[in-house]
Amino acid sequence: MPTDPVRYVRVKTEGVPFAPATRAYGNIAILGLVDPPATPPDDFVQPNVPTLIVDTGVARTIATGPLGDAVATALVQEPGPSEVWAVRLTDASPESLDAAFAQVATLDVQLVALANTSLVNTAAAGAPAVPTPAIVKLAEHVSAPTGDGLERMGIAMLRKGDADPAVVSGSLVTERMVYMAHKSDEDVAAAVAGTIAGYEPHVSLLLKKVKVSSGAFSVADVLKINGSEGKNSGGPGGFGVNWLVDPPLIPGAGVYLGEGYTGDSGPGAKKYIDMVRTVDDITFRLKAQLIASIGNLRISRSGLRGLVAEMETVLEPLRRAEVIDSYEIVVPILVLLDKPQPSPVEEGLILKARTERAADVMVKVVYAGAIHRINITLNFE
């Protein structure tokens, strides 16, 4: 059959490169002191300048001392971080810390730690435990308002063998911090930061392997750390401190995270690490998806339905991947616009939204957390 020589519709296809905004989940910033190497690289001469490190050998070369050891410890975790930024401190003074945290605030990182720094300094016998000022600054840094996509969490370790989590108080009580009890001579905070960075945000950190050596806590110590006895009134995890453990039920020898708590398990707080990281991730995804709608979609039936569709393109894949269990999107103005005969009050709300060019949207996400406890009752008859 001969083809029609007349082309009534002509379509010229062109490929337009497009890279959607993405948020990393495995980048770490570590602040610490160094022992100046014999010939430091140019980009590491200036104090408080962040330096990207992607290889453990390089880490120990350009940042010997506590900072280099911490970076190397973070990088050897399996799975490990995507990137590690090392920020050299001039000294341990508050001014140096403030300058370093100012540098970290601009980095694309999700986890921040201080090299070889315990939650409590060595105190005199009988003296009350006082939080290390640097850790207090870390907690304040990760809890402070940040730019879109720059939300982060801090990781800190207790002193070796310390099983009293009551020192986590005041500004240290925040869901943006992760605290670790341990019996190790290594930088546990850096190791745990590397472990957390290796997993997607929605993955629970319970019983995830940490590549450090650490002694075992007694049953009494674990009960105390976990808030299962003593003055705790918030139930297990009331102090928000995790511990390292080598479970006898897991074949072979290894050190694992005994829990995945954040530093705040009070009413309304996000008790688990994966909850905080998942909320951060979903929040970024929604913002990145909707930013192109700003200035384009209108406060009309079609415009607001387009807004809902944009949000569904973010949430539906997460639901299908079982990251979230379900979701619901409600746009109050759209509900009023769909009414056949809005009341005068409702018409006033519609006019107000159009005048101010603002539309409120409520998103409800149901997050089904991983199983952390299984209670089995065996009945023998």
Side-chain angles (χ1 to χ4, degrees):
M1 296 288 293
T3 59
D4 192 334
V6 178
R7 297 184 180 180
Y8 295 96
V9 179
R10 293 177 179 270
V11 178
K12 181 181 180 181
T13 59
E14 294 182 356
V16 180
F18 171 72
T22 58
R23 180 181 189 270
Y25 61 82
N27 296 351
I28 304 174
I30 301 179
L31 295 73
L33 299 169
V34 301
D35 296 329
T39 54
D42 293 339
D43 64 350
F44 212 75
V45 173
Q46 297 299 322
N48 300 330
V49 174
T51 299
L52 176 62
I53 301 177
V54 294
D55 179 77
T56 55
V58 175
R60 292 186 184 277
T61 301
I62 71 173
T64 58
L67 180 57
D69 292 341
V71 172
T73 301
L75 285 170
V76 299
Q77 304 304 312
E78 296 178 359
S82 304
E83 296 178 352
V84 177
W85 289 87
V87 181
R88 174 185 177 183
L89 297 175
T90 308
D91 48 50
S93 66
E95 294 75 18
S96 179
L97 282 167
D98 291 339
F101 279 124
Q103 293 286 343
V104 173
T106 63
L107 298 178
D108 180 20
V109 298
Q110 297 74 49
L111 301 167
V112 185
L114 293 168
N116 194 33
T117 304
S118 299
L119 180 59
V120 176
N121 287 322
T122 303
V130 178
T132 305
I135 300 296
V136 175
K137 284 184 176 290
L138 172 61
E140 293 172 349
H141 168 77
V142 297
S143 301
T146 60
D148 291 336
L150 295 178
E151 300 85 0
R152 63 272 308 264
M153 299 185 73
I155 295 87
M157 59 182 178
L158 278 65
R159 287 180 297 181
K160 178 182 179 180
D162 197 342
D164 186 1
V167 69
V168 179
S169 60
S171 61
L172 296 178
V173 179
T174 170
E175 62 189 25
R176 289 283 164 188
M177 286 294 294
V178 177
Y179 298 107
M180 294 301 309
H182 66 97
K183 288 189 175 183
S184 175
D185 293 323
E186 300 176 64
D187 195 330
V188 171
V192 172
T195 298
I196 296 174
Y199 292 93
E200 294 186 70
H202 65 278
V203 177
S204 169
L205 275 301
L206 174 61
L207 294 181
K208 297 304 184 287
K209 194 168 186 178
V210 184
K211 294 185 68 175
V212 292
S213 58
S214 179
F217 284 102
S218 67
V219 173
D221 284 341
V222 172
L223 290 175
K224 187 175 182 180
I225 295 169
N226 195 37
S228 301
E229 63 175 26
K231 60 183 179 181
N232 169 60
S233 59
F239 286 120
V241 174
N242 306 286
W243 62 96
L244 296 179
V245 63
D246 181 6
L249 296 178
I250 297 180
V255 176
Y256 299 81
L257 277 163
E259 251 302 344
Y261 297 137
T262 65
D264 186 5
S265 60
K270 302 178 188 70
K271 183 176 179 178
Y272 298 98
I273 300 169
D274 56 295
M275 293 177 63
V276 176
R277 302 183 77 216
T278 299
V279 170
D280 288 347
D281 185 57
I282 294 177
T283 300
F284 173 83
R285 289 170 183 257
L286 288 173
K287 290 179 179 179
Q289 182 68 30
L290 296 178
I291 191 65
S293 301
I294 301 297
N296 293 318
L297 293 182
R298 299 186 177 276
I299 301 178
S300 61
R301 290 183 181 88
S302 60
L304 294 177
R305 285 194 173 91
L307 182 67
V308 172
E310 291 282 353
M311 301 178 78
E312 287 177 342
T313 61
V314 172
L315 298 174
E316 183 60 22
L318 295 176
R319 186 194 66 80
R320 293 182 179 180
E322 297 186 352
V323 173
I324 59 176
D325 187 66
S326 62
Y327 64 90
E328 181 180 357
I329 304 172
V330 177
V331 185
I333 294 300
L334 179 58
V335 175
L336 299 181
L337 288 171
D338 284 339
K339 295 188 69 172
Q341 294 182 331
S343 68
V345 174
E346 293 169 340
E347 288 180 346
L349 293 174
I350 294 174
L351 178 61
K352 183 175 183 292
R354 285 174 167 168
T355 302
E356 296 180 354
R357 300 197 173 193
D360 292 333
V361 181
M362 294 179 287
V363 180
K364 176 184 177 181
V365 174
V366 178
Y367 179 64
I371 296 174
H372 280 213
R373 303 287 188 272
I374 299 177
N375 297 323
I376 301 175
T377 300
L378 295 178
N379 292 324
F380 292 93
E381 297 181 359

